[in-house]
């Protein structure tokens, strides 16, 4: 039976970058005889316009039935004034939690051709290749109780809760170790065990899981130090594993080391490696509709999908090589452009990757 891939372009630049990623996916499907069947649906603002909610039940059902989901980005000023519960971003949180996508993988790779795009010195970032594994469905973003209460005297006080169970920690730690095992065999677990009870349990369980991975070198780091080390000497890291909030912050920091948010893909996986794949950036309303967005993060999300959900390593590598070849040719969208390179639009960049992939 064919493998089903659900395409959710979303809002803003989402449809523009997705059109290019789909061209690459369709070519890879033919070239490597992957047997994929693609279907399209709406999410975010586009779904609010069509159904009145950011994720319709039938779309969620199609996502459940699909073998993988490829998503563009959601959100935009048109929907910013809506109630929090029906805003575009709620659709994204809902699909992640309903599909049980607890492991968020965010690589921060600096392509040598783009070394000038980083704000750090080339010798600090050249060759950078980090993978951040972030727990995505637990911790303080979902913890209860939360709210605002009135203290004696009438002052308001707000509070959140940071819960982690042993099983939640164990399964994300395993993803971290599994990833490290097929990469540089180094895992750094990031926590705040000197202060937080949830982090003390986190460290204890990570140590326990480590016994199953004697071939992986484990280290622990407090999150404040990790934030510092990422800008001081980022190449010391191979795989980092951390909780939802720390991962949110550190993965954005790491992505900026590469200087180009338009280049960075991500994967969110469930316990069976079913996943949703999306660029790290948002819907970029400031440049939507202009045909200038960088489609490479979405194209590289396709390659992550082939690698992690379908174990199609050759096809995944071919897409990555095609992207690298296009950068070698000096083609750049505006966000990664530097003097001496040719500035191209979204479609031209997508066409160039398709041509490179065809010729590989
Ligand atoms: P953003 O990532 O959309 O944009 C930040 C900056 O990066 C902008 O200047 C934008 O033009 C640029 N940029 C982003 N992607 C680019 C690309 N592919 N090519 C060239 N330039 C690119 O973040 P934001 O401006 O904070 O948010 C805009 C909207 O996106 C908001 O509604 C926000 O809620 C939403 N958002 C969605 C997601 C998601 O869908 N996963 C993630 C972040 C933000």
């Amino acid at each position: 039976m064919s493998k089903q891939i659900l395409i959710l372009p979303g809002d803003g630049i989402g449809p523009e970058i997705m059109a290019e990623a789909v061209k690459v996916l369709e070519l890879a499907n033919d070239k490597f005889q992957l047997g994929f069947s693609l279907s399209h649906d709406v999410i975010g603002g586009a779904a609010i316009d069509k159904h009145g909610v950011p994720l319709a039940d039938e779309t969620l059902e199609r996502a459940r039935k699909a073998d993988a989901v490829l998503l563009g980005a959601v959100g935009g000023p048109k929907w910013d004034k809506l109630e929090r519960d029906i805003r575009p971003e709620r659709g994204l949180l809902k699909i992640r939690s309903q599909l049980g996508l607890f492991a968020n993988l965010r690589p921060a790779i600096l392509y040598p051709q783009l070394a000038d795009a980083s704000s750090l010195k080339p010798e600090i970032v050249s060759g950078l290749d980090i993978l951040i594994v972030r727990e995505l469905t637990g911790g303080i973003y979902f913890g209860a109780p939360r709210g605002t209460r009135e203290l004696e005297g009438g002052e308001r006080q707000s509070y959140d809760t940071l819960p982690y169970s042993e099983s939640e920690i164990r399964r994300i730690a395993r993803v971290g170790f599994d990833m490290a095992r097929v990469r540089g065999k180094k895992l750094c677990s990031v926590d705040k065990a000197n202060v937080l009870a949830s982090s003390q349990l986190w460290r204890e369980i990570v140590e326990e899981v480590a016994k199953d991975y004697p071939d992986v070198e484990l280290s622990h780091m407090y999150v404040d130090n990790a934030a510092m080390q990422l800008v001081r000497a980022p190449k010391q890291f191979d795989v980092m594993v951390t909780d939802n909030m720390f991962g949110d912050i550190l993965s954005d920091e790491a992505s900026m080391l590469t200087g180009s948010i338009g280049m960075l893909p991500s994967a969110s996986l469930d316990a069976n490696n079913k996943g949703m794949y999306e660029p790290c950036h948002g819907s970029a309303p400031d440049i939507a509709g202009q045909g200038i967005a960088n489609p490479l993060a979405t194209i590289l999300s396709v390659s992550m999908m082939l690698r992690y959900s379908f174990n199609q390593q050759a096809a995944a590598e071919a897409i990555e090589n095609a992207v690298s070849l296009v950068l070698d040719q000096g083609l750049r969208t505006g966000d990664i452009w530097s003097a001496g390179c040719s500035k191209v639009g979204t479609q031209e960049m997508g066409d160039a990757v398709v041509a490179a992939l065809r010729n590989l």
Side-chain angles (χ1 to χ4, degrees):
M1 227 182 64
S2 70
K3 298 276 184 200
Q4 303 293 319
I5 297 174
L6 179 63
I7 309 285
L8 300 173
D11 311 315
I13 60 169
E16 300 167 48
I17 52 178
M18 187 58 82
E20 304 313 309
V22 166
K23 284 198 290 205
V24 174
L25 175 57
E26 282 174 342
L27 174 60
N29 195 15
D30 281 352
K31 192 176 163 95
F32 294 90
Q33 303 187 344
L34 303 174
F36 291 155
S37 163
L38 276 49
S39 63
H40 289 69
D41 209 331
V42 287
I43 190 169
I48 295 172
D49 290 350
K50 191 169 173 193
H51 303 292
V53 287
L55 179 69
D57 290 344
E58 59 261 38
T59 308
L60 180 58
E61 205 39 48
R62 290 175 84 178
R64 276 192 216 285
K65 288 192 179 129
D67 296 287
V69 178
L70 185 64
L71 184 127
V74 302
K78 182 177 174 191
W79 306 280
D80 273 353
K81 297 212 162 56
L82 294 174
E83 296 252 324
R84 209 167 70 94
D85 276 355
I86 51 158
R87 284 181 51 164
E89 294 75 11
R90 299 306 293 182
L92 204 53
L93 289 180
K94 185 170 174 187
I95 196 169
R96 285 176 183 159
S97 64
Q98 290 289 314
L99 296 183
L101 305 174
F102 69 91
N104 184 222
L105 313 186
R106 284 184 55 168
I109 296 172
L110 185 75
Y111 282 80
Q113 300 94 326
L114 301 179
D116 289 343
S118 175
S119 52
L120 297 192
K121 293 185 199 122
E123 63 268 27
I124 292 183
V125 286
S126 69
L128 184 77
D129 182 356
I130 302 176
L131 179 67
I132 298 193
V133 177
R134 165 189 170 195
E135 201 289 327
L136 200 60
T137 53
I140 198 163
Y141 293 171
F142 294 90
R146 65 163 66 188
T148 301
R149 60 192 162 206
E150 203 166 298
L151 299 175
E152 257 178 59
E155 190 187 6
R156 284 180 305 150
Q157 182 190 55
S158 292
Y159 54 96
D160 297 280
T161 304
L162 202 177
Y164 267 112
S165 64
E166 293 181 38
S167 56
E168 280 176 312
I169 301 169
R170 194 168 289 116
R171 67 181 183 176
I172 194 72
R174 286 206 175 281
V175 175
F177 279 107
D178 285 338
M179 293 293 152
R181 187 168 254 179
V182 295
R183 290 174 42 103
K185 297 194 167 25
K186 274 169 52 181
L187 179 67
C188 178
S189 171
V190 176
D191 62 36
K192 189 71 184 168
N194 49 345
V195 177
L196 299 174
S198 57
S199 277
Q200 282 157 13
L201 184 65
W202 180 280
R203 199 173 272 218
E204 196 181 299
I205 301 296
V206 170
E207 287 283 350
E208 208 181 283
V209 174
K211 294 191 184 116
D212 294 338
Y213 296 85
D215 51 326
V216 175
E217 182 194 320
L218 171 67
S219 60
H220 300 280
M221 200 177 272
Y222 297 137
V223 62
D224 40 350
N225 187 23
M228 198 170 75
Q229 295 299 330
L230 270 175
V231 285
R232 194 189 72 83
K235 284 190 276 183
Q236 69 184 285
F237 297 112
D238 173 24
V239 180
M240 301 172 91
V241 64
T242 190
D243 84 359
N244 201 343
M245 182 167 62
F246 298 157
D248 191 3
I249 298 165
L250 292 181
S251 59
D252 264 25
E253 184 188 358
S255 72
M256 282 324 290
L257 298 176
T258 70
S260 48
I261 199 162
M263 295 294 300
L264 297 170
S266 77
S268 306
L269 305 178
D270 76 1
N272 303 309
N273 284 351
K274 172 177 170 164
M276 185 163 85
Y277 298 83
E278 53 186 309
C280 288
H281 59 73
S283 58
D286 52 332
I287 58 165
Q290 298 176 31
I292 59 171
N294 187 349
L296 294 179
T298 317
I299 290 171
L300 290 167
S301 300
V302 170
S303 123
M304 282 190 97
M305 177 172 84
L306 299 181
R307 173 161 287 132
Y308 293 115
S309 280
F310 300 111
N311 201 20
Q312 293 288 348
Q313 308 300 339
E317 230 166 79
I319 292 174
E320 285 151 16
N321 290 339
V323 167
S324 198
L325 277 171
V326 166
L327 295 176
D328 284 342
Q329 290 160 18
L331 303 188
R332 305 279 189 275
T333 43
D335 56 310
I336 51 172
W337 182 83
S338 59
C341 297
S342 319
K343 200 179 273 188
V344 296
T346 311
Q347 197 180 332
E348 229 177 315
M349 185 59 106
D351 288 342
V353 176
V354 165
L357 180 61
R358 188 169 284 126
N359 293 329
L360 270 175

